Amino acid sequence: MKKNNGLFNPKGIFMRISLIFCLLSTLCLTFSSAAVVKAQYGLDKRIDITLKDKTFPELLKEIERKTGVSFVYTNKENVAGTVSVSDQSKTARAILTPLLKKYELQAVENGLLVVLRKLEAKVSVQEKPGSIVGFVKDVANNQILPYATVVVKGTNQKAITDMNGYFVLSNVSAGKAVLRVTYIGFKAFETTVNVVGGKTNNADLKLTSESNDMKGITITGIRRGESVALNNMQNADNVKYVLSEEQIERFPDATVGEAMQRVPGIAMDYSYGLPRNIIIRGLDQSMGSVTLNGNRLPSTQTNSRDIDLNGILSSTVEAIEVNKTLTPDMEADGTSGSVNIISKTPKIGMKQFQVKGSFGNNFLLGKQNFDGAFNYGERKNKIAYLIGVNYSNTNRGEDRVQKDYDTYEINGVEKLKLSNLELEGSDLNRENIGVQGELSFFPTEKSQIYVRGNYNKFYELQTRGTKSYSIGEYTSETTVADVNIGSSGTPRDYNRDLFSVSGGAKTNINNWIGNVDVTYASGLYDQPTYYDGFFNYGGLTANMDISNPRAPQFDFTNGNPNDASKYVTSNYVNRHQIANDRDIQGSLNIERTFDLSDKNKFKFKFGGRMKYKEDDHTRSYYQYKLKTGTIAMSNFLSDYSREKYFNGHYNLSGAIANGYLMEEYYQNNLNLFSNDETYIRQNTDPDSYNGKENMQAGYVMGKLTLDKLDIITGVRYENTGFEYNGNIVNFNNTGAYVSTNKVAVKSNFNGFFPSLNLKYAVSPRTNFRAAVTKSLSRPGYYDLVPWEEIEVRRKRMKKGNPDLDQATSVNYDFLFEHYLKSLGLISGGIFYKNIDNYIYESIYLQQGGQFDQYQVTQTVNGANAHVYGYEVAWQQQLTFLPGFWNGFGIYANYTQIQSKFKVPGIVSERTVRLPSMRPKVGNASLSYEKYGFSGRLSLNFYDTFIDELADVEANDLMEKGRVQLDFSASQKINNKFTIFMGISNINNAQTILDFGDGRPNDHKYYSRWANLGFKYNPFYK
């Protein structure tokens, strides 16, 4: 919980130390009392004794009578037959010793008490155990097989190969050990290894594909990628889904964002027709995390912790893991889930060199796209290296029609009518550069030292043409007057850069496995260009045609809306925004596995993470007013033209301003303009801030394997401290700027986050999984900044909330999964999340105080939110079918989600679904893969959802359901050369937002795009 100062109570620590001391003392006394001691008398007493053909107990009774000692023994220490003794003046010890030796007995003395024990059979000195290390590979092409299962038959010893196909089996008994290897899509394999005690023994294991006996079908390429992903999922300790590099390439997906929409339970938030932010099980990216090789990525947005996934090219990654349940060794910031992007690494036994290139076209703009990539790497005995460079230059477009409404009086009756129509056309040119590299050194078979770096640069230049029609009044249902046309051309650009460099080491020493990692990462959002030349032409009248409410038409009855000389302005706006997010983080993890019995074992793991973050955002927003007069748009015309705009409903051409010319005019005529201080301060100061965060985390966890049941449990503790500096901006009764006051805040979050994951293997291919976990979601940076914008004239204020608490959630998951022999998976599960202190933007009336009855917009903690649903998935290669038909495959998944939470609202409290939550999400694909050909027709869909909550339900923004159809195909010319193609958005899917009562609001149109390319790998076998 927030501000928990009772975590380290001195009294509690003292009591715990005292308890531990008492326990240790008791144990020491117990062991001491059991030690063999030498009596000061008793068996050392000299006696005379003569017995003939007596039983052994009778002899002991006679010794007891003459010495005063007492013998304690059981039937196990009794001996058969009789004994005869005739000794004079000998110690009882001397009389007894030869008999004890004869009958393999031991006497343990404690004063006058003598305990007889049966001597343990002599154990021969065993040779020290050894270890087995090696790689699992495909016998056909020598490629490594990640996440294979390697077991030592007849024992509980098991290893899962890592992403490089490498495994370590420690503490293996010397002698012959039989290894059994299993891998989905491959035949089980057994081999015998002669283990030399105290040594590291090497064993490379090679598997044969199940499909080798099917003509035209191989386990290489896409099928190999599916096999890798399925094995990773099957052997995971938590519920997760994996996309391999080969699986990503089967779809026409250029970015990580596009690839993510294929995962069960995943929906994407779209920007200009492309998926940008991930939504897992109905919860947006702010309630989850995105990591690179396990390290949290910094933000590339202005005010939030989100990552723009358009900025990472899919060709730069080796795999993407979507973790739907957490384990203690993962960051607790993952209520929706955690996405881990795995960068490419050099592979053992093969030289990597791949060249890729493609050309394409965007059919909305009629402009071409290009991308290219090469990756080169090799792993030798002690050294491994990899370098990759990826470049993409694409053109995207969007036709957007936006509508707003107001109340008008028509013939004495007030009616809600269209008040504003805006046509905004956007041409986007995007450049992505991805560079990654790794250098690794392997001092021993069990150790690695590495340095790896990743840089993703995403630059976007937007050319926009806008016309807006603002209606002053309705003279009838279909005629309007006092219409104002606004026209602008607003070029703007964005840089969203991600940089990460890591250094670390992994080792396995005496069955202890450890790894350490130190990472520096930075995220940049920079918008240096934003030139807004906005001109107005007013006083127009028109007839309106609203027969198509999504594309209303104006027929102007006076004036010429294309006469640029009629458009004038008296001001000019430009701005520059920049946000930097920088992290330094370090982590340490240590684990050890203990064998409990032949089938049971226990893995103990502990570690921690520290992070230091600096985040700042500066928004410089300027408006310059002409000191006298106005200027006409005829001198600032743009050549922007979209004659068949919005599928031919409009002609967005002519009389559109050029922002570049406005910026040039302003710079050349500074003396003609004055600053609008109120506008500048209102749009600059509240959005500018800087801050620091530090996070400390520690965890302890265990994995208990009881034959077929795995129990993974533990607890994580996280503490996040933060300090932010912001601005309070004040305006007077007339709305004029008064002052800006700087303000600072310092606070922290902390809490314990336990988790329990269960996996029961009904069979080697069937698992039942269950999990109960606790997670957190931190507020966005800007939400914590102590900023305020106070408008006295309008009795409104907007402000940050440094008193926000982190949201926490208890999550319940249950999943069934069955892995098919013919490369496939059938799974189904249910989930429930109970979120406490849900974070959302609220609009409420201030009660009392200086700002009584002000309308306040602020991010707040709300009541509990509940999210629940189910998901099913089926993917299968239909290799059991005869002939031609066994090349077909099915890939389908469906998730249904419900949610609810209460919001106060301006009018009354109401229960709603969570914003951004798609209640139904799914994918369906039909593929064909045979004779080197791979083709896939893919459909992605989601249902209508709440995009934005308003004060009343009628004004909520609802995004309508969307279905997108894509096609991709590739053909191997030979083992080294492949051609491919893809078509996206075949059915011209659009993004449509309506108000809660059905009024059309926002409509975005994208058309289609396609590409054709090749891949060349000269070293592929």
Side-chain angles (χ1 to χ4, degrees):
M1 299 303 292
K2 193 174 181 181
K3 300 180 182 177
N4 182 358
N5 297 318
L7 180 64
F8 301 106
N9 184 283
K11 182 178 178 181
I13 294 175
F14 176 77
M15 292 179 66
R16 288 171 175 79
I17 293 174
S18 300
L19 178 60
I20 293 171
F21 177 77
C22 291
L23 290 173
L24 291 175
S25 300
T26 303
L27 289 173
C28 290
L29 289 172
T30 302
F31 285 118
S32 298
S33 66
V36 177
V37 296
K38 183 176 181 179
Q40 300 302 315
Y41 53 91
L43 292 182
D44 292 323
K45 185 177 181 179
R46 291 182 178 274
I47 60 173
D48 297 332
I49 189 168
T50 301
L51 293 174
K52 186 175 181 180
D53 297 330
K54 298 294 183 180
T55 64
F56 187 63
E58 289 176 322
L59 171 63
L60 296 179
K61 285 182 180 181
E62 185 65 15
I63 295 175
E64 286 179 341
R65 187 177 64 82
K66 293 187 175 185
T67 62
V69 302
S70 296
F71 290 99
V72 177
Y73 56 93
T74 66
N75 288 335
K76 187 171 69 172
E77 285 78 34
N78 201 354
V79 295
T82 59
V83 296
S84 297
V85 177
S86 180
D87 289 303
Q88 304 297 318
S89 191
K90 281 189 175 182
T91 64
R93 186 185 308 282
I95 297 170
L96 196 56
T97 296
L99 294 173
L100 294 178
K101 185 176 181 180
K102 177 180 177 182
Y103 298 119
E104 296 182 347
L105 297 176
Q106 176 190 22
V108 180
E109 301 172 57
N110 187 3
L112 295 177
L113 181 68
V114 180
V115 180
L116 297 183
R117 293 178 178 173
K118 194 76 173 177
L119 283 175
E120 298 291 336
K122 289 186 178 180
V123 180
S124 59
V125 178
Q126 296 290 324
E127 191 175 357
K128 288 183 178 180
S131 60
I132 305 175
V133 301
F135 293 86
V136 177
K137 303 178 182 179
D138 183 347
V139 69
N141 50 34
N142 214 37
Q143 289 192 21
I144 56 95
L145 296 176
Y147 314 111
T149 302
V150 184
V151 300
V152 181
K153 290 192 69 176
T155 74
N156 66 346
Q157 292 173 293
K158 179 173 75 171
I160 307 298
T161 61
D162 65 13
M163 58 185 297
N164 294 309
Y166 182 70
F167 71 92
V168 176
L169 286 164
S170 301
N171 205 31
V172 181
S173 299
K176 295 188 181 300
V178 178
L179 302 186
R180 178 178 173 83
V181 191
T182 55
Y183 204 76
I184 297 173
F186 287 76
K187 297 176 182 178
F189 172 75
E190 291 187 5
T191 187
T192 300
V193 178
N194 188 25
V195 179
V196 178
K199 302 290 185 181
T200 299
N201 304 269
N202 290 286
D204 280 0
L205 312 176
K206 297 189 176 182
L207 307 186
T208 302
S209 163
E210 292 272 12
S211 303
N212 281 357
D213 55 347
M214 296 184 185
K215 187 177 181 181
I217 295 179
T218 65
I219 202 71
T220 59
I222 289 172
R223 289 182 185 268
R224 178 186 178 277
E226 191 162 3
S227 179
V228 170
L230 291 173
N231 280 278
N232 188 351
M233 292 155 59
Q234 183 188 31
N235 290 311
D237 288 336
N238 61 327
V239 177
K240 72 176 179 180
Y241 192 88
V242 180
L243 278 174
S244 69
E245 175 185 359
E246 294 86 351
Q247 286 178 295
I248 294 170
E249 289 179 348
R250 76 170 62 181
F251 299 103
D253 298 333
T255 68
V256 168
E258 291 178 271
M260 292 303 305
Q261 64 187 332
R262 314 295 177 181
V263 176
I266 299 295
M268 300 299 297
D269 180 29
Y270 286 79
S271 172
Y272 298 101
L274 291 176
R276 179 175 65 181
N277 295 332
I278 186 171
I279 296 166
I280 306 176
R281 289 178 166 177
L283 300 176
D284 62 34
Q285 193 179 123
S286 68
M287 300 195 72
S289 61
V290 178
T291 62
L292 177 66
N293 299 318
N295 293 304
R296 177 74 184 259
L297 285 172
S299 172
T300 54
Q301 305 284 40
T302 55
N303 295 322
S304 70
R305 301 178 188 271
D306 295 348
I307 312 296
D308 188 338
L309 294 177
N310 278 324
I312 305 177
L313 292 170
S314 59
S315 56
T316 66
V317 306
E318 186 161 295
I320 303 173
E321 299 176 331
V322 180
N323 296 289
K324 296 182 179 179
T325 67
L326 304 179
T327 52
D329 54 348
M330 301 167 61
E331 288 201 34
D333 190 0
T335 294
S336 64
S338 170
V339 176
N340 184 35
I341 301 168
I342 301 173
S343 61
K344 290 187 175 180
T345 58
K347 302 296 186 296
I348 187 72
M350 61 180 294
K351 186 179 289 187
Q352 297 168 261
F353 181 61
Q354 185 184 75
V355 179
K356 177 183 177 182
S358 73
F359 299 87
N361 186 71
N362 182 282
F363 292 99
L364 179 66
L365 305 179
K367 294 183 178 180
Q368 285 67 53
N369 301 322
F370 164 77
D371 69 78
F374 86 87
N375 292 278
Y376 181 76
E378 184 178 11
R379 171 154 176 199
K380 299 180 179 179
N381 185 31
K382 295 285 187 181
I383 296 291
Y385 60 88
L386 180 138
I387 181 73
V389 178
N390 305 264
Y391 176 76
S392 172
N393 189 316
T394 60
N395 289 282
R396 306 291 183 191
E398 177 182 272
D399 290 355
R400 181 179 185 182
V401 177
Q402 190 167 13
K403 294 162 282 291
D404 290 307
Y405 301 83
D406 206 344
T407 301
Y408 295 87
E409 184 177 307
I410 305 174
N411 298 325
V413 179
E414 288 191 344
K415 294 186 177 182
L416 190 63
K417 302 287 287 184
L418 178 73
S419 62
N420 191 78
L421 172 70
E422 182 173 274
L423 313 180
E424 182 184 84
S426 298
D427 294 17
L428 289 76
N429 178 251
R430 291 178 164 177
E431 286 188 274
N432 290 74
I433 300 173
V435 180
Q436 69 275 347
E438 179 177 323
L439 178 64
S440 289
F441 173 63
F442 301 88
T444 69
E445 295 95 334
K446 300 180 183 180
S447 301
Q448 177 187 8
I449 301 171
Y450 63 85
V451 177
R452 62 171 66 105
N454 291 269
Y455 175 65
N456 287 276
K457 181 175 183 60
F458 173 29
Y459 176 75
E460 177 177 285
L461 176 62
Q462 295 185 8
T463 303
R464 301 167 68 189
T466 303
K467 278 190 176 180
S468 60
Y469 304 85
S470 179
I471 300 170
E473 63 173 316
Y474 279 77
T475 54
S476 73
E477 292 284 350
T478 58
T479 58
V480 292
D482 193 20
V483 178
N484 181 80
I485 306 177
S487 175
S488 69
T490 311
R492 59 181 182 178
D493 63 359
Y494 301 92
N495 290 281
R496 293 185 177 93
D497 299 350
L498 273 173
F499 172 74
S500 172
V501 59
S502 300
K506 305 175 182 178
T507 189
N508 186 324
I509 302 175
N510 295 329
N511 302 324
W512 287 93
I513 299 173
N515 66 73
V516 61
D517 182 277
V518 177
T519 296
Y520 170 79
S522 65
L524 170 70
Y525 172 99
D526 186 17
Q527 185 189 58
T529 301
Y530 184 102
Y531 308 141
D532 187 9
F534 187 84
F535 293 79
N536 290 282
Y537 178 15
L540 299 173
T541 59
N543 296 316
M544 281 191 64
D545 179 2
I546 54 174
S547 57
N548 181 356
R550 298 201 176 276
Q553 303 291 320
F554 288 87
D555 180 15
F556 289 96
T557 55
N558 71 322
N560 178 8
N562 290 316
D563 185 353
S565 65
K566 300 294 184 179
Y567 292 82
V568 296
T569 189
S570 61
N571 58 67
Y572 166 62
V573 171
N574 68 23
R575 77 182 187 204
H576 179 201
Q577 273 185 281
I578 185 168
N580 288 283
D581 190 6
R582 300 170 296 276
D583 290 346
I584 297 176
Q585 50 191 312
S587 63
L588 173 68
N589 302 280
I590 298 174
E591 65 180 79
R592 169 72 187 270
T593 300
F594 300 91
D595 294 330
L596 304 180
S597 68
D598 288 344
K599 293 186 177 181
N600 305 328
K601 62 181 179 179
F602 177 72
K603 181 171 77 173
F604 177 67
K605 186 175 182 181
F606 64 94
R609 177 181 293 272
M610 298 185 69
K611 183 190 299 182
Y612 173 76
K613 173 189 291 292
E614 292 184 352
D615 178 69
D616 59 75
H617 175 225
T618 302
R619 186 187 194 201
S620 302
Y621 211 131
Y622 302 104
Q623 184 179 73
Y624 311 103
K625 287 189 174 182
L626 283 169
K627 295 177 181 178
T628 59
T630 61
I631 53 177
M633 191 171 64
S634 50
N635 295 321
F636 304 94
L637 276 177
S638 167
D639 60 358
Y640 187 90
S641 177
R642 196 79 61 80
E643 294 184 358
K644 294 184 178 180
Y645 185 83
F646 201 62
N647 202 25
H649 287 92
Y650 300 99
N651 181 356
L652 187 61
S653 304
I656 295 176
N658 187 325
Y660 289 110
L661 294 179
M662 281 296 297
E663 170 68 8
E664 182 181 342
Y665 180 80
Y666 166 72
Q667 294 294 341
N668 292 332
N669 298 276
L670 296 177
N671 61 312
L672 300 180
F673 293 87
S674 63
N675 293 345
D676 185 340
E677 186 72 6
T678 294
Y679 185 94
I680 293 172
R681 298 274 67 87
Q682 184 173 7
N683 290 279
T684 297
D685 294 353
D687 295 271
S688 299
Y689 66 89
N690 63 78
K692 301 175 182 178
E693 290 187 1
N694 60 84
M695 189 270 282
Q696 305 86 35
Y699 73 90
V700 60
M701 63 179 289
K703 178 181 179 181
L704 179 63
T705 298
L706 302 174
D707 195 5
K708 297 181 178 181
L709 175 65
D710 286 342
I711 304 171
I712 303 98
T713 188
V715 65
R716 183 180 186 89
Y717 172 77
E718 289 198 7
N719 178 79
T720 303
F722 64 87
E723 52 182 286
Y724 280 100
N725 304 296
N727 299 304
I728 295 178
V729 187
N730 301 287
F731 303 88
N732 64 20
N733 290 333
T734 65
Y737 170 74
V738 175
S739 65
T740 297
N741 302 320
K742 294 187 178 300
V743 62
V745 68
K746 183 183 293 186
S747 191
N748 76 297
F749 310 119
N750 59 52
F752 288 92
F753 301 91
S755 66
L756 171 66
N757 283 265
L758 304 175
K759 181 173 75 171
Y760 182 74
V762 180
S763 71
R765 294 184 181 271
T766 305
N767 293 326
F768 280 102
R769 295 180 183 267
V772 182
T773 60
K774 186 178 181 182
S775 58
L776 68 89
S777 301
R778 297 186 183 92
Y781 307 135
Y782 190 51
D783 297 330
L784 292 168
V785 175
W787 65 274
E788 290 183 4
E789 179 184 332
I790 304 168
E791 299 180 81
V792 178
R793 181 171 61 90
R794 297 180 178 181
K795 298 195 74 172
R796 296 190 316 191
M797 65 186 303
K798 299 177 181 179
K799 60 181 183 177
N801 189 356
D803 291 325
L804 275 173
D805 201 352
Q806 60 189 4
T808 58
S809 176
V810 179
N811 316 292
Y812 303 87
D813 291 83
F814 181 80
L815 179 73
F816 164 82
E817 55 186 13
H818 177 68
Y819 294 87
L820 304 169
K821 190 175 181 180
S822 57
L823 269 188
L825 167 68
I826 297 173
S827 68
I830 57 176
F831 56 89
Y832 171 73
K833 299 177 183 291
N834 184 2
I835 306 171
D836 189 29
N837 285 323
Y838 180 74
I839 301 170
Y840 73 103
E841 185 178 83
S842 175
I843 302 174
Y844 61 91
L845 288 178
Q846 178 71 33
Q847 301 296 326
Q850 180 182 358
F851 303 106
D852 184 39
Q853 297 305 303
Y854 273 56
Q855 180 177 303
V856 180
T857 302
Q858 184 184 39
T859 300
V860 299
N861 290 114
N864 279 25
H866 304 271
V867 180
Y868 51 95
Y870 67 88
E871 57 189 20
V872 292
W874 172 36
Q875 61 187 88
Q876 184 175 10
Q877 302 299 325
L878 307 181
T879 53
F880 56 85
L881 295 176
F884 167 83
W885 302 100
N886 61 26
F888 279 103
I890 300 292
Y891 180 89
N893 54 70
Y894 175 78
T895 302
Q896 183 158 326
I897 312 167
Q898 290 295 328
S899 65
K900 60 181 180 180
F901 85 114
K902 292 181 180 180
V903 292
I906 294 290
V907 179
S908 63
E909 183 179 79
R910 58 192 179 111
T911 300
V912 299
R913 292 190 312 208
L914 299 182
S916 300
M917 189 214 76
R918 281 72 166 162
K920 297 176 183 177
V921 180
N923 289 277
S925 298
L926 179 66
S927 65
Y928 189 82
E929 295 167 15
K930 197 169 182 179
Y931 301 111
F933 173 82
S934 174
R936 179 171 291 265
L937 186 65
S938 307
L939 181 145
N940 171 266
F941 67 90
Y942 59 79
D943 199 9
T944 301
F945 66 95
I946 299 173
D947 180 74
E948 184 178 311
L949 285 171
D951 52 351
V952 294
E953 184 177 357
N955 292 331
D956 289 346
L957 280 181
M958 309 291 296
E959 183 170 326
K960 296 179 71 67
R962 186 175 185 272
V963 178
Q964 179 172 318
L965 188 66
D966 305 316
F967 176 74
S968 59
S970 65
Q971 177 64 56
K972 291 181 68 173
I973 305 304
N974 54 44
N975 282 342
K976 296 177 173 56
F977 193 82
T978 300
I979 57 174
F980 63 87
M981 60 87 66
I983 306 175
S984 296
N985 202 21
I986 295 172
N987 60 325
N988 189 21
Q990 300 158 44
T991 301
I992 302 172
L993 284 85
D994 291 344
F995 287 104
D997 58 8
R999 288 171 290 141
N1001 171 253
D1002 200 355
H1003 197 140
K1004 302 170 185 177
Y1005 177 93
Y1006 310 105
S1007 190
R1008 306 165 186 85
W1009 54 94
N1011 68 328
L1012 175 67
F1014 71 93
K1015 289 187 293 186
Y1016 176 63
N1017 188 345
F1019 301 115
Y1020 189 85
K1021 296 180 181 180

